[in-house]
């Protein structure tokens, strides 16, 4: 179990360990904010948590000042993804069934992703992960959309599902499905348009999930490998911002403010959401989230984890066979998709640093 900064790690607080690794992650995170007994439920519905969230609202100038250059005057039309299409992708991805590293459904999904990227500039980052459950093939898929400005914006989303939940009926509609799908829709939006801005790279990451119990060495296999590779080849220095999409399809959308992310980038995303009128879906709660961005955070890349970890009452659908399409909504994909595209636009307009 990963210790929290407060050292409060009693398993009593985390009844679904070890299978619910991401649940564990938010539980640990929220334990930082909830100063109460370790039998507190790991939800965002407590009064303690509400007050914590109220103290960190991004509009508060005392806690999270927005850089003055972050939102220049701009009359460009607001972007919109095709959420119906993105939802259909989610449905098709989920229909493959469980998709853990290396299984047959995973291979089918790799082909599905590549089929949707025909004609695009696509690269692989493939390797073998040595894990506590044996060796697994891992394959990050990268699609590059060149821009006119020097620098790269990276958007990541994992496409694997949870190995310990194999044969349980877990299909990961939200957890794995929604992230795979929204990146495919971003590719549609970026394709065939000359980018007057930074290059945008989309990465379908593999091995995000732990094979046994979430830890620094049993998690984010794909991005740990990719971050190391990009550090060696100099790519990391060119990345202006990196955003992770994870579990963004929940019909009751509530994006958590991740304290491991770069505050200025979170603020920029919030400003983009405000422009679209979507801000009520962002940052009602906060927590320190462990996700695909961490290997990049550790190397100084400005990152934001865009994640909703309040999936059903008390996060009850997370890492369970109840993570199915009926819990999701095209509207949520619309909100996250539009906000992300607007964030990219606002990043393009920021002065080069
Ligand atoms: Zn997960």
């Amino acid at each position: 179990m990963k210790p929290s900064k407060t050292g409060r790690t009693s398993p009593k607080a985390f009844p679904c360990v070890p299978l619910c690794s991401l649940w564990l992650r938010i539980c640990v995170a929220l334990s930082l904010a909830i100063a109460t007994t370790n039998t507190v439920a790991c939800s965002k519905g407590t009064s303690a948590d509400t007050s914590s969230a109220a103290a960190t609202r991004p509009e508060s100038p005392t806690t999270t000042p927005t850089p003055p250059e972050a939102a220049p005057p701009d009359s460009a039309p607001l972007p919109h993804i095709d959420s119906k299409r993105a939802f259909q992708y989610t449905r098709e991805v989920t229909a493959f069934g469980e998709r853990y590293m290396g299984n047959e459904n995973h291979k089918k999904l790799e082909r599905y992703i590549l089929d949707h990227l025909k004609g695009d500039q696509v690269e692989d980052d493939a390797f073998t992960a040595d894990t506590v459950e044996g060796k697994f093939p891992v394959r990050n898929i990268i699609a590059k959309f060149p821009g006119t400005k020097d620098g790269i914006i990276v958007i990541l989303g994992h496409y694997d599902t949870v190995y310990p939940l194999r044969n349980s009926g877990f299909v990961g509609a939200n957890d794995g499905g929604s992230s795979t799908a929204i990146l495919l829709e971003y590719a549609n939006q970026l394709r065939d348009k000359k980018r007057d801005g930074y290059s945008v790279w989309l990465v379908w990451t593999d091995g995000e999930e732990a094979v046994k119990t979430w830890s620094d060495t049993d998690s984010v296999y794909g991005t740990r490998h990719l971050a190391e590779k990009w550090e060696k080849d100099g790519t990391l220095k060119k990345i202006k911002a990196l955003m992770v999409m994870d579990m963004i399809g929940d019909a009751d959308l509530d994006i958590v403010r991740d304290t491991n992310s770069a505050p200025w980038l979170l603020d920029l995303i919030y400003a983009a959401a405000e422009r679209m009128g979507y801000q009520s879906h962002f940052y009602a709660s906060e927590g320190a989230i462990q996700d695909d961005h961490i290997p990049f955070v550790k190397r100084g890349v400005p990152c934001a984890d865009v994640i909703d970890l309040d999936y059903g009452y008390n996060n009850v659908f997370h890492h369970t066979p109840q993570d199915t399409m009926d819990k999701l909504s095209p509207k949520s994909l619309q909100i996250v998709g539009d906000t992300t595209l607007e964030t990219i636009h606002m990043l393009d307009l920021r002065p080069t640093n």
Side-chain angles (χ1 to χ4, degrees):
M1 181 177 296
K2 184 176 169 55
S4 72
K5 284 176 191 164
T6 56
R8 294 171 57 255
T9 58
S10 166
K12 280 186 286 183
F14 314 117
C16 60
V17 172
L19 294 185
C20 301
S21 62
L22 203 56
W23 165 276
L24 164 64
R25 285 177 271 161
I26 191 63
C27 290
V28 170
L30 289 176
S31 72
L32 299 176
I34 304 172
T36 182
T37 72
N38 61 10
T39 55
V40 160
C42 299
S43 77
K44 293 185 272 178
T46 66
S47 56
D49 190 34
T50 304
S51 60
S52 157
T56 58
R57 292 296 295 179
E59 61 267 31
S60 167
T62 54
T63 52
T64 52
T66 301
E69 75 278 16
D74 179 20
S75 58
L78 295 171
H80 294 288
I81 68 158
D82 183 338
S83 60
K84 205 172 154 197
R85 182 168 56 187
F87 198 70
Q88 180 59 22
Y89 289 153
T90 313
R91 192 182 297 286
E92 289 167 7
V93 169
T94 304
F96 285 117
E98 57 188 26
R99 310 174 294 282
Y100 57 85
M101 288 184 287
N103 85 339
E104 268 312 306
N105 293 341
H106 189 289
K107 291 190 185 102
K108 285 180 196 163
L109 179 54
E110 289 172 46
R111 283 194 288 275
Y112 174 92
I113 293 169
L114 293 170
D115 280 349
H116 284 78
L117 299 174
K118 282 208 174 108
D120 297 332
Q121 190 183 334
V122 177
E123 288 177 14
D124 259 9
D125 172 39
F127 61 101
T128 301
D130 202 353
T131 81
V132 288
E133 293 285 338
K135 291 189 190 316
F136 290 89
V138 185
R139 184 184 191 182
N140 299 312
I141 299 171
I142 307 161
K144 300 182 174 181
F145 298 91
T148 53
K149 208 170 166 180
D150 193 25
I152 305 161
I153 297 168
V154 180
I155 304 179
L156 307 176
H158 79 93
Y159 70 103
D160 61 309
T161 56
V162 189
Y163 179 74
L165 291 174
R166 66 197 181 284
N167 307 321
S168 73
F170 177 75
V171 293
N174 197 23
D175 193 0
S178 66
S179 41
T180 306
I182 203 154
L183 261 67
L184 290 172
E185 176 56 19
Y186 293 154
N188 292 336
Q189 297 295 328
L190 293 162
R191 187 175 297 122
D192 301 330
K193 287 179 197 158
K194 188 157 170 55
R195 284 225 82 243
D196 186 17
Y198 295 119
S199 295
V200 177
W201 293 6
L202 305 176
V203 187
W204 287 261
T205 65
D206 198 4
E208 185 268 345
E209 302 284 5
V211 297
K212 197 165 187 182
T213 305
W214 188 279
S215 70
D216 285 354
T217 52
D218 184 13
S219 66
V220 296
Y221 292 94
T223 51
R224 276 191 283 139
H225 187 269
L226 190 61
E228 195 181 326
K229 179 179 165 182
W230 281 355
E231 185 172 43
K232 282 184 189 149
D233 71 13
T235 299
L236 280 196
K237 287 197 216 91
K238 300 178 195 159
I239 300 176
K240 301 297 177 183
L242 182 150
M243 290 181 272
V244 175
M245 308 284 126
D246 200 2
M247 299 178 65
I248 40 78
D250 182 6
D252 182 12
L253 186 70
D254 181 12
I255 303 295
V256 64
R257 186 176 172 93
D258 166 40
T259 56
N260 286 330
S261 293
W264 72 263
L265 187 53
L266 295 175
D267 291 346
L268 194 70
I269 291 168
Y270 190 85
E274 269 189 317
R275 286 189 179 191
M276 319 288 303
Y278 296 146
Q279 69 270 29
S280 66
H281 298 280
F282 288 78
Y283 308 158
S285 63
E286 74 164 20
I289 312 294
Q290 298 285 317
D291 205 345
D292 260 341
H293 59 321
I294 295 300
F296 298 95
V297 170
K298 284 179 177 166
R299 289 169 171 81
V301 175
C303 297
D305 192 19
V306 179
I307 186 167
D308 175 352
L309 265 176
D310 188 17
Y311 186 31
Y313 181 73
N314 276 356
N315 207 20
V316 72
F317 302 138
H318 181 227
H319 283 193
T320 75
Q322 282 81 47
D323 181 0
T324 46
M325 285 303 295
D326 56 301
K327 318 295 189 306
L328 312 189
S329 160
K331 178 70 182 174
S332 297
L333 300 178
Q334 190 85 54
I335 291 165
V336 171
D338 295 354
T339 300
T340 302
L341 292 183
E342 180 63 8
T343 303
I344 292 171
H345 173 68
M346 292 167 82
L347 283 164
D348 286 339
L349 295 179
R350 293 181 92 228
T352 311
N353 46 24

